Amino acid sequence: MASWIADTRKRLYRNIKYRLTRPSPPAAPARFTRPVVIVGSAPVSHKPAGWGPDFSVITINGSQSVIKAWGMAAPDITFLQFNQIEGTNTNAVEVRRVLSGQRTGALYVFLWRKDDRPRLEKGLSAFDYKYDSLQIVDRYERMALMDRVAGVQSLELETESKCSNGMNAVLFALHNGAPAVILTGINPNSAGHAYNQAGLVRAHVQMDKSIVAKLLAEKRPLYTADPAVSEEMGIPLWTGAA
């Protein structure tokens, strides 16, 4: 009973706060005018056709290690989950390891407390991760991203009601004008990460699949560079032109 009451209060609080504050989805440093490549950390990824300066690049957590192998030192944008900064679980430790001494353009950290930015900056400095700009994205801005772009309202009460940072990056790119969004290393059906051998299971699988299906049904310009993902999920394969 106590758990049900607590969940009901949390649901009411988030619903009321979201409706009263009317948050805006996070904005990119500038509107996208080039195709956006979103690089995840699934064990298998492929360099998109035409890979080079004609793309804007967003990396997710530790997937910057993928583009480094492709000859790109720093992405335009990186999405980091808050627990990667100080977390002690395997994934957080590995993310800090591969990002140590690296840099990015715009860094977006999800769900860090906005009133504790100095601690965030100190945490990033601890593993020498540099950036041109830093933005904290709170829960309600993330909810707005899914709501405004995909038309899906979620109060994020359970893991299954949230999408992954990779899918948040898709919504972010579309919201900020991307003429095409190309996924690589993003496969909800896979386990493990490209930058370690831990074989960690992915969360948010069903919500990610639902969002992909909805975007495809709406004819959004979503593509993948990974043939297996194209076959499994029905996402058009990127061949070099939208």
Side-chain angles (χ1 to χ4, degrees), residues 66-141:
V66 175
I67 65 166
K68 188 176 181 181
W70 294 349
M72 178 175 284
D76 299 293
I77 294 172
T78 296
F79 279 15
L80 270 180
Q81 193 70 3
F82 75 99
N83 60 312
Q84 312 294 13
I85 309 301
E86 299 176 337
T88 57
N89 61 31
T90 299
N91 186 251
V93 171
E94 287 295 299
V95 166
R96 293 197 298 271
R97 178 182 65 81
V98 298
L99 293 184
S100 178
Q102 306 301 312
R103 71 171 299 110
T104 187
L107 177 59
Y108 291 75
V109 178
F110 282 72
L111 304 191
W112 193 273
R113 289 178 60 94
K114 289 199 173 187
D115 60 359
D116 202 4
R117 186 183 177 100
R119 181 176 173 182
L120 172 58
E121 293 172 344
K122 183 179 179 181
L124 292 164
S125 178
F127 60 100
D128 191 27
Y129 193 53
K130 300 179 178 65
Y131 44 85
D132 296 334
S133 65
L134 174 62
Q135 183 170 331
I136 298 170
V137 180
D138 68 22
R139 183 180 306 279
Y140 297 93
E141 291 165 332

Side-chain angles (χ1 to χ4, degrees), residues 147-166:
D147 186 5
R148 306 280 181 83
V149 182
V152 176
Q153 296 184 354
S154 171
L155 297 176
E156 299 194 353
L157 294 174
E158 313 88 11
T159 298
E160 295 78 12
S161 67
K162 308 169 191 174
C163 62
S164 67
N165 264 353

Side-chain angles (χ1 to χ4, degrees), residues 12 21 63 68-69 119 166 190 194 209 222 231 235 242:
L12 287 171
T21 60
S63 63
K68 188 176 181 181
R119 181 176 173 182
S190 71
K209 289 182 176 181
L222 180 64
E231 184 174 344
I235 304 174

Side-chain angles (χ1 to χ4, degrees), residues 6-16 155 157-158:
D7 287 347
T8 300
R9 285 175 175 170
K10 185 183 292 185
R11 185 182 301 276
L12 287 171
Y13 175 82
R14 288 188 183 176
N15 189 30
I16 292 170
L155 297 176
L157 294 174
E158 313 88 11

